[in-house]
Amino acid sequence: MEGDIAQLGQFVGAGLAAIGSGAAAIGVGHVAGNFLAGALRNPSAAAGQTATLFIGIAFAEALGIFAFLVALLLMFAV
Amino acid sequence: MADNGYEGAHGAEGGGLEFHPMDQFIVKPLFGGDAIHWYTPTNVTLWLFVAILAVTALMVLATSKRAVVPGRGQSIAEMAYGFVYKMVEDVTGKDGIVYFPYIMTLFMFILAANFLGLLPMAFTTTSHIAVTAVMGFGVFFAVTILGFVKNGASFLSLFWVEAAPLPLRPILALIELISYFVRPVSHSIRLAGNMMAGHAVLKVFAGFAQVAAIAPIAILGVVAIYGLELLVAFIQAYVFTILTCVYLKDALHPHH
Amino acid sequence: MATDTHGAAESAAGMPQLEFGTFPNQIFWLVLALIAIYFILSRIALPRIAAILAERQGTITNAIANAEDLKAKAAEAEESYNKALADARAEAQAIAAEARAQIQADLDVAIAKADAEIAAKSAESEKAISAIRASAVESVREVSVETAQDIVGAFGGKTDAKAIASAVADRMKG
């Protein structure tokens, strides 16, 4: 892995960007956990809200995917 | 790793570990040659064609008996039909049913492409930004044009939140406008990113299997990630479709 | 770098997703594939599945209607059966009551007849008994008179037939 300082920066940046994926995981867990808490309180209303749940998870996850994309771009494309 | 090139096969030829997680996404001409013109049949073409065949097999061949009591294939086809139909009806309302065939097309294509991409040695067409961006921006432009055609200038009330206090409304309008234009980007990058990430992670885990000491863990990891990817393949098709429905609903009923 | 247009496998360093040279190719074939799937679905598959679902719905509705019909018929049949049963029971009761009345009448007649016969028989018997008793009393008197004459004769007395007879009659009255 010998290389110049720019490459080092690239790799460090990619690793830092990958933290964003973990943050997105927290977000997704938050959405799912709150859904479950609500669903256990009122199970009859839960079935109608699964679509909203998935949309929420998708939005939370999209931002993590952006972070992952930045990591990939740093690793391979820059 | 960026300047490693892709000459090496998957294996420990160069001594150390070699990861080529992005190799699987390379677009290659099918019949030799280097140049990729717009008409060149490539592996993208091949797997798009396989996706068409898969959709045809499920939706046309499996239902050819028209049985009142369905068999396995017909049950799945009916389930897919009912699933998307109900989604369109629930999210966009009765007047969105007209657009059901378009949404069904998107759903079936993404579902087939995602699942076919999970076959070993397969090429995942939906992992390419070019493919998902065509669909994402296609939905975006179709929905925007539809909104203006159906509602005229009152479509712009989508950005003017009547429920908010008056001083906040311009700020909200700006935010809504930005989020509206980010929609196609996130819509397409979400799908491509999910598929790309999953497949790259699979390849990375497979790469760790080159080391005998951690090979069992790596192979278990591949199995686990593969199971997750099966779920993701379906969920991303679902999410893409339901977001399309949500955007369509905004176009048909822009008033909050 | 990803700007290497018309990049084939060996020159594709970096992210293959950002090989802009392959974009026209991918977009062309994708649009073709989407149009193909759209026509396959909208011309063949979706109408067919909609028809199948509608047919099944019709079949189910018909079956439910049939079932309702049959249920109504069954209820009707049960009702008529119950009615017939009640009728039969009432008739049976009427017949039984009639038979009972008939039997009672017959019985009354028979009892009356038997009573009359018994009464006649007992009257006759009483008559016979009183006759027998009368004759028995007479015999006893005669025997007593004779015995008394003999006894008196044996004691050497003079037998006065008239006195003995009146004495026996007195005794017998006593």
Side-chain angles (χ1 to χ4, degrees), chain A:
Chain A
M1 284 278 178
E2 71 281 352
D4 51 9
I5 191 83
Q7 212 176 357
L8 176 72
Q10 246 178 300
F11 288 168
V12 170
L16 286 175
I19 295 172
S21 307
I26 296 173
V28 171
H30 226 71
V31 173
N34 279 335
F35 175 79
L36 192 61
L40 288 176
R41 269 172 210 234
N42 188 1
S44 56
Q49 297 305 321
T50 40
T52 325
L53 168 72
F54 279 113
I55 293 172
I57 286 181
F59 276 129
E61 202 195 1
L63 304 174
I65 293 289
F66 289 158
F68 174 75
L69 203 70
V70 170
L72 275 182
L73 286 171
L74 282 173
M75 284 287 284
F76 296 111
V78 176

Side-chain angles (χ1 to χ4, degrees), chain C:
Chain C
M1 294 297 284
T3 48
D4 184 9
T5 54
H6 299 293
E10 54 271 22
S11 62
M15 270 175 81
Q17 274 86 352
L18 297 179
E19 292 264 359
F20 293 106
T22 66
F23 275 28
N25 178 280
Q26 292 191 49
I27 292 168
F28 168 66
W29 290 110
L30 170 73
V31 170
L32 218 61
L34 284 180
I35 290 171
I37 292 177
Y38 173 73
F39 277 106
I40 288 168
L41 286 181
S42 67
R43 291 281 178 275
I44 307 171
L46 299 184
R48 182 185 288 177
I49 295 176
I52 292 171
L53 292 179
E55 192 187 337
R56 179 170 313 145
Q57 196 56 46
T59 310
I60 291 171
T61 315
N62 277 349
I64 288 174
N66 271 350
E68 291 283 337
D69 220 30
L70 290 178
K71 204 174 160 194
K73 267 185 196 154
E76 206 172 294
E78 197 186 348
E79 199 176 319
S80 68
Y81 164 78
N82 279 340
K83 194 159 166 288
L85 200 65
D87 282 357
R89 195 169 285 145
E91 199 176 336
Q93 265 166 0
I95 288 170
E98 197 177 321
R100 201 175 291 131
Q102 183 76 37
I103 287 167
Q104 192 63 48
D106 284 358
L107 204 61
D108 286 350
V109 169
I111 287 171
K113 200 172 156 197
D115 280 352
E117 262 172 37
I118 288 166
K121 280 255 171 71
S122 59
E124 202 173 309
S125 324
E126 245 163 64
K127 215 159 116 197
I129 289 167
S130 61
I132 289 167
R133 186 181 287 154
S135 74
V137 167
E138 188 58 27
S139 304
V140 167
R141 202 180 49 84
E142 271 172 23
V143 170
S144 318
V145 169
E146 271 172 30
T147 314
Q149 263 177 347
D150 285 353
I151 291 166
V152 170
F155 282 120
K158 210 171 135 225
T159 55
D160 182 6
K162 243 182 177 164
I164 287 170
S166 66
V168 168
D170 282 352
R171 277 286 189 206
M172 281 185 68
K173 267 180 204 158

Side-chain angles (χ1 to χ4, degrees), chain B residues 28-66:
Chain B
K28 297 186 207 95
L30 270 185
F31 307 110
D34 285 351
I36 297 177
H37 303 291
W38 60 269
Y39 52 84
T40 315
T42 58
N43 47 358
V44 181
T45 318
L46 172 69
W47 286 99
L48 286 173
F49 187 67
V50 175
I52 297 175
L53 285 185
V55 172
T56 311
L58 177 63
M59 301 303 283
V60 177
L61 298 186
T63 59
S64 58
K65 275 195 281 182
R66 298 161 191 266

Side-chain angles (χ1 to χ4, degrees), chain B residues 54-109:
Chain B
V55 172
T56 311
L58 177 63
M59 301 303 283
V60 177
L61 298 186
T63 59
S64 58
K65 275 195 281 182
R66 298 161 191 266
V68 173
V69 179
R72 262 180 294 187
Q74 196 185 321
S75 289
I76 295 172
E78 284 173 12
M79 217 184 284
Y81 179 96
F83 181 71
V84 179
Y85 193 90
K86 195 167 168 299
M87 195 195 306
V88 175
E89 200 177 27
D90 284 355
V91 178
T92 65
K94 285 278 179 206
D95 46 353
I97 293 294
V98 193
Y99 310 103
F100 167 64
Y102 302 98
I103 292 168
M104 189 72 184
T105 304
L106 281 179
F107 178 75
M108 289 315 292
F109 169 70

Side-chain angles (χ1 to χ4, degrees), chain B residues 13-204:
Chain B
E13 287 174 24
L17 280 175
E18 289 205 19
F19 296 108
H20 301 294
M22 307 310 275
D23 266 12
Q24 55 182 327
F25 303 122
I26 296 170
V27 179
K28 297 186 207 95
L30 270 185
F31 307 110
D34 285 351
I36 297 177
H37 303 291
W38 60 269
Y39 52 84
T40 315
T42 58
N43 47 358
V44 181
T45 318
L46 172 69
W47 286 99
L48 286 173
F49 187 67
V50 175
I52 297 175
L53 285 185
V55 172
T56 311
L58 177 63
M59 301 303 283
V60 177
L61 298 186
T63 59
S64 58
K65 275 195 281 182
R66 298 161 191 266
V68 173
V69 179
R72 262 180 294 187
Q74 196 185 321
S75 289
I76 295 172
E78 284 173 12
M79 217 184 284
Y81 179 96
F83 181 71
V84 179
Y85 193 90
K86 195 167 168 299
M87 195 195 306
V88 175
E89 200 177 27
D90 284 355
V91 178
T92 65
K94 285 278 179 206
D95 46 353
I97 293 294
V98 193
Y99 310 103
F100 167 64
Y102 302 98
I103 292 168
M104 189 72 184
T105 304
L106 281 179
F107 178 75
M108 289 315 292
F109 169 70
I110 296 171
L111 194 72
N114 285 0
F115 276 125
L116 287 170
L118 282 171
L119 293 174
M121 311 302 291
F123 180 86
T124 321
T125 47
T126 40
S127 69
H128 272 260
I129 308 274
V131 169
T132 57
V134 167
M135 293 189 289
F137 279 93
V139 168
F140 176 74
F141 286 122
V143 157
T144 310
I145 292 167
L146 195 69
F148 278 113
V149 169
K150 287 262 170 189
N151 302 291
S154 74
F155 178 60
L156 290 173
S157 69
L158 179 66
F159 306 112
W160 197 249
V161 187
E162 294 286 336
L166 193 57
L168 277 179
R169 280 184 208 168
I171 305 164
L172 278 178
L174 189 65
I175 294 172
E176 290 274 331
L177 202 64
I178 292 170
S179 84
Y180 189 81
F181 283 102
V182 170
R183 273 177 179 186
V185 179
S186 70
H187 203 191
S188 48
I189 287 184
R190 179 183 303 114
L191 177 57
N194 262 297
M195 299 322 290
M196 190 204 323
H199 287 74
V201 168
L202 272 178
K203 274 279 164 22
V204 169

